[in-house]
Amino acid sequence: MKKLLNITIVTMLAFTLSACGNNVKSNTIVNAELTDREKGILLTTSDHSFVFDFNIDSEYTEASVWFEKYEFGKLVDEQTGQLLTKIMNNGSIIFTITESEAVENQQLFNVGISSDDGTASVKISNIISTKSTDGMSSVWGSINEEMDITNENLVLASIRYSWGEGGMRSLSSEFYKDVEGQINEIENFEVVYLLRSKFMK
């Protein structure tokens, strides 16, 4: 029941936010500016969330969003929970994360894509690590400027986990544009999830 409620809320929020991309330059994606009400809905239904607005030319007809999982900078899980849907004009990508109450170290990810062509969503779960949650710390980050959707290496958001002592520094803006070229930035993190996207003609 809780799973169905979360999917329903993400879908409803996607409809609410789908008109927000009107101020975004053509063929770009950017962090959405949310109202206090929208922030409240997301805080009530998830532990963490990101919302991105996009605006595309008519030549782009599909969008894909998926997760990659890295351990100490090495890719261990590629294209987890991929969502592919038709898109038109402008819209939003919504990404929420909730910690499982039933399984230790399990994260529940909700992703929705909404545009003038409709809304699609997917829900997946993943075990972060077999380690105990004792001493675990996490840091979250996302793009902080308008990004060109023609960049096929584009990363929208990151979730990074470490155990024990150590700094949890932010990732550079260059990392979100070119993961492969900046992979050293995540080599000291035991687990990293990246939310990636691709827009297709």
Side-chain angles (χ1 to χ4, degrees), residues 51-98:
V51 181
F52 307 95
D53 287 337
F54 62 84
N55 192 357
I56 54 172
D57 290 338
S58 58
E59 60 187 346
Y60 288 93
T61 59
E62 289 185 314
S64 179
V65 180
W66 68 94
F67 296 96
E68 291 178 347
K69 184 177 182 179
Y70 292 77
E71 293 178 357
F72 293 107
K74 303 293 184 189
L75 181 63
V76 297
D77 204 352
E78 187 176 9
Q79 292 196 342
T80 299
Q82 185 174 24
L83 174 62
L84 175 66
T85 188
K86 298 282 187 188
I87 53 170
M88 185 188 303
N89 301 327
N90 55 60
S92 299
I93 295 174
I94 302 164
F95 171 40
T96 67
I97 309 100
T98 305

Side-chain angles (χ1 to χ4, degrees), residues 62-66 149 151-152 154 196-200:
E62 289 185 314
S64 179
V65 180
W66 68 94
I149 65 162
N151 178 0
E152 295 191 4
L154 187 63
R196 302 192 77 150
S197 68
K198 185 177 180 180
F199 293 80
M200 290 150 286

Side-chain angles (χ1 to χ4, degrees), residues 77-125:
D77 204 352
E78 187 176 9
Q79 292 196 342
T80 299
Q82 185 174 24
L83 174 62
L84 175 66
T85 188
K86 298 282 187 188
I87 53 170
M88 185 188 303
N89 301 327
N90 55 60
S92 299
I93 295 174
I94 302 164
F95 171 40
T96 67
I97 309 100
T98 305
E99 293 180 15
S100 172
E101 297 176 2
V103 180
E104 186 176 35
N105 271 334
Q106 184 181 53
Q107 294 284 8
L108 307 175
F109 301 111
N110 288 291
V111 180
I113 302 176
S114 174
S115 79
D116 291 347
D117 199 43
T119 300
S121 62
V122 65
K123 183 182 183 80
I124 64 164
S125 63

Side-chain angles (χ1 to χ4, degrees), residues 171-179 182-183 185-186 194:
L171 299 178
S172 70
S173 59
E174 289 304 310
F175 177 85
Y176 292 98
K177 300 173 189 174
D178 180 20
V179 173
Q182 305 293 326
I183 198 69
E185 294 192 37
I186 62 170
L194 300 180

Side-chain angles (χ1 to χ4, degrees), residues 129-166:
S129 171
T130 56
K131 288 186 173 184
S132 166
T133 54
D134 293 341
M136 183 179 78
S137 56
S138 63
V139 63
W140 311 75
S142 66
I143 58 174
N144 56 13
E145 59 186 273
E146 282 188 340
M147 305 289 261
D148 185 347
I149 65 162
T150 62
N151 178 0
E152 295 191 4
N153 291 320
L154 187 63
V155 173
L156 299 179
S158 64
I159 315 164
R160 289 154 281 147
Y161 297 91
S162 289
W163 278 257
E165 299 295 325

